[in-house]
């Protein structure tokens, strides 16, 4: 058994998502780009490459990683580019999508050799959490005024519109896309391609994939555009676990269990959005609050039910631990950073990355 903690990517579970993405691509004609902001563990890029069209990024480092490790189409996007990085960004990208007209005009000369696009903000989104809502008041994410965009259409050939956030409701997606068409229809008619971003949970159970593919195909035909999707979570959902070991047990009105991991350091998104981790099957007569080993009082994975009383040395496997985890892991408290391991299709396990003191030391000064 591998030393915990470690993230375990299961290729057989990843394959299910890849096949669903490939089916949507084939039926709808849309292209799919892996959103590196969600998942950038390049050791499985060779596996994912056969089912996807490339990557999309949010920074210089991500666009370079996508270009060098994934290949195929490489889209560059950032809320804002700095003068010192724009030339390198362009050197790694096939398309560059600017967040604002100001950035587009500022870097018009540097970006003239590749395809250019602009982010549009339709003012509606599926987010229920203000922190992640691109349509929140005073949002800086994209241009919203069609009249201001029209004069710069000669500088761009397409748009990116990202307003879905963990949206597993096709009817909501369909309704919001209709609002986008109503608001930006004249601009879309002038475009050659449109990215509808990520956050569409079309690889989830019971999602009406046929209706989704038909809607994408209809949108593409209506406006004469190549449609892009940017699946992040949808690409890797339920493919990965965070494997931990029980270090201590306590009782303070509840059964408390401390594991060799930390939600703040290893599953940070759950802490930010105040969500519990997932344990399967989460059934049994023994209920315990599972806690992280950092000094943060709220470093708590959640309360779960287990078939037996947990003891020191027992393993706990946290489910669905791929998205926004490995890209956000940190050295808070100097807690041991999880290794990254892969379960191959034949069931064999291999460790692809381990982290030690030198990594911790070199992350500082």
């Amino acid at each position: 058994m591998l030393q915990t903690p470690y993230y375990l990517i299961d290729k057989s579970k990843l394959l299910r998502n890849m096949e669903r993405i490939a089916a949507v691509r084939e039926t709808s004609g849309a292209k799919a780009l892996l959103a590196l902001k969600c998942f950038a563990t390049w050791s499985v890029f060779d596996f994912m490459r056969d089912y996807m069209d490339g990557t999309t990024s949010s920074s210089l480092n991500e666009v370079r990683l996508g270009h060098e490790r994934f290949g195929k189409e490489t889209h560059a996007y950032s809320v804002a580019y700095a003068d010192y990085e724009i030339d390198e960004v362009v050197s790694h990208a096939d398309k560059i999508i600017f967040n604002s007209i100001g950035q587009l005009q500022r870097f018009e000369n540097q970006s003239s050799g590749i395809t250019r696009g602009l982010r549009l903000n339709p003012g509606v989104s599926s987010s229920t959490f203000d922190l992640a809502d691109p349509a929140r008041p005073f949002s800086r994410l994209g241009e919203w005024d069609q009249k201001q965009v029209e004069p710069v259409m000669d500088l761009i050939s397409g748009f990116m519109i990202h307003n879905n956030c963990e949206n597993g409701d096709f009817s909501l997606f369909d309704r919001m896309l209709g609002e986008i068409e109503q608001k930006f229809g004249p601009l879309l008619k002038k475009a050659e391609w449109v990215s509808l971003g990520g956050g569409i949970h079309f690889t989830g159970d019971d999602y009406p994939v046929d209706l989704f593919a038909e809607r994408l195909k209809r949108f593409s035909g209506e406006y004469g555009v190549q449609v892009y999707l940017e699946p992040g979570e949808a690409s890797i959902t339920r493919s990965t676990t965070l494997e931990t070991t029980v270090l201590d047990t306590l009782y303070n009105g509840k059964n408390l269990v401390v594991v060799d991991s930390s939600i703040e350091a290893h599953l940070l998104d759950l802490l930010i959005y105040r969500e519990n981790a997932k344990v399967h099957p989460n059934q049994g007569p023994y209920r315990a609050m599972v806690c992280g080993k950092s000094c943060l009082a709220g470093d708590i994975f959640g309360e779960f039910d287990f078939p037996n009383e947990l003891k020191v040395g027992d393993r706990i496997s946290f489910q669905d631990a791929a998205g926004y985890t490995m890209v956000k892991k940190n050295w808070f408290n100097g807690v041991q950073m999880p290794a990254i391991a892969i379960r191959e299709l034949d069931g064999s396990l291999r460790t692809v990355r381990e982290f030690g003191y030198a990594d911790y030391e070199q992350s500082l000064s």
Side-chain angles (χ1 to χ4, degrees):
M1 297 181 70
L2 303 180
Q3 175 65 53
T4 59
Y6 61 92
Y7 300 102
L8 177 60
I9 304 169
D10 190 325
K11 279 188 176 179
S12 65
K13 296 178 180 178
L14 183 60
L15 179 60
R16 174 194 173 279
N17 299 324
M18 293 295 100
E19 290 177 337
R20 180 71 64 90
I21 289 171
V24 169
R25 289 168 63 215
E26 181 176 358
T27 305
S28 70
K31 293 185 177 183
L33 307 173
L34 175 63
L36 297 178
K37 66 180 180 180
C38 175
F39 181 83
T41 305
W42 50 266
S43 292
V44 289
F45 282 2
D46 60 339
F47 181 72
M48 303 174 78
R49 188 181 296 119
D50 292 338
Y51 302 90
M52 304 186 74
D53 296 283
T55 57
T56 185
S57 58
S58 301
S59 65
L60 168 57
N61 284 336
E62 284 187 354
V63 72
R64 179 176 175 178
L65 183 73
H67 174 67
E68 294 183 355
R69 292 291 186 175
F70 199 103
K72 304 182 80 169
E73 283 197 56
T74 306
H75 288 204
Y77 166 78
S78 176
V79 172
Y81 292 110
D83 290 348
Y84 65 82
E85 63 183 358
I86 188 65
D87 288 337
E88 188 175 356
V89 169
V90 169
S91 73
H92 294 299
D94 301 297
K95 285 187 176 71
I96 185 166
I97 300 162
F98 291 102
N99 183 69
S100 70
I101 293 172
Q103 284 259 304
L104 170 65
Q105 293 175 328
R106 181 177 181 179
F107 298 120
E108 177 183 349
N109 291 334
Q110 293 96 321
S111 62
S112 62
I114 62 173
T115 301
R116 290 183 296 218
L118 185 67
R119 179 169 183 170
L120 297 179
N121 189 330
V124 294
S125 84
S126 66
S127 177
T128 58
F129 204 96
D130 182 63
L131 181 65
D133 186 358
R136 61 188 287 169
F138 317 112
S139 175
R140 72 197 191 285
L141 301 175
E143 296 285 352
W144 56 273
D145 189 342
Q146 177 176 305
K147 292 181 181 180
Q148 293 188 25
V149 176
E150 286 174 345
V152 298
M153 284 301 298
D154 60 328
L155 300 180
I156 62 175
S157 61
F159 299 105
M160 188 266 277
I161 305 168
H162 174 47
N163 67 327
N164 287 278
C165 303
E166 297 187 5
N167 185 8
D169 183 347
F170 170 73
S171 63
L172 176 57
F173 167 80
D174 182 34
R175 186 165 66 251
M176 291 196 305
L177 186 56
E179 292 184 44
I180 289 169
E181 291 175 301
Q182 185 175 14
K183 182 169 185 176
F184 294 125
L187 293 178
L188 300 177
K189 284 284 189 180
K190 299 177 181 180
E192 297 175 9
W193 55 273
V194 174
S195 171
L196 296 177
I200 309 165
H201 200 51
F202 65 93
T203 56
D205 291 337
D206 302 321
Y207 192 90
V209 176
D210 292 341
L211 290 177
F212 178 59
E214 188 276 331
R215 184 67 174 95
L216 295 176
K217 188 172 184 179
R218 180 154 46 94
F219 177 84
S220 175
E222 174 70 21
Y223 297 97
V225 294
Q226 172 64 60
V227 172
Y228 286 90
L229 301 173
E230 300 179 3
E233 185 71 38
S235 300
I236 44 75
T237 183
R238 294 179 297 182
S239 69
T240 300
T241 57
L242 173 60
E243 302 295 324
T244 68
T245 298
V246 174
L247 300 180
D248 195 11
T249 61
L250 307 88
Y251 183 83
N252 187 8
K254 291 182 178 181
N255 296 313
L256 306 178
V257 172
V258 179
V259 298
D260 59 351
S261 181
S262 163
I263 188 170
E264 176 162 14
H266 307 151
L267 295 176
L268 183 58
D269 242 30
L270 299 183
L271 185 66
I272 292 173
Y273 293 103
R274 301 177 184 178
E275 297 178 346
N276 288 335
K278 300 174 185 176
V279 168
H280 184 76
N282 197 14
Q283 294 177 349
Y286 180 76
R287 187 165 183 81
M289 177 184 290
V290 181
C291 309
K293 66 174 293 183
S294 81
C295 69
L296 180 70
D299 191 354
I300 298 170
F301 289 85
E303 293 189 43
F304 310 101
D305 297 319
F306 299 92
N308 301 296
E309 180 178 351
L310 292 172
K311 305 182 299 298
V312 172
D314 286 346
R315 293 287 185 101
I316 298 179
S317 178
F318 294 104
Q319 305 297 302
D320 210 5
Y324 297 99
T325 56
M326 285 169 271
V327 295
K328 288 192 173 187
K329 65 187 184 301
N330 61 73
W331 285 107
F332 178 65
N333 269 196
V335 174
Q336 178 59 43
M337 191 171 283
I340 301 174
I342 296 173
R343 176 177 284 123
E344 301 289 351
L345 295 177
D346 63 5
S348 62
L349 266 64
R350 64 185 178 98
T351 302
V352 295
R353 185 71 162 92
E354 292 181 290
F355 302 91
Y357 174 74
D359 299 295
Y360 168 65
E361 181 188 40
Q362 291 166 20
S363 71
L364 301 167
S365 58

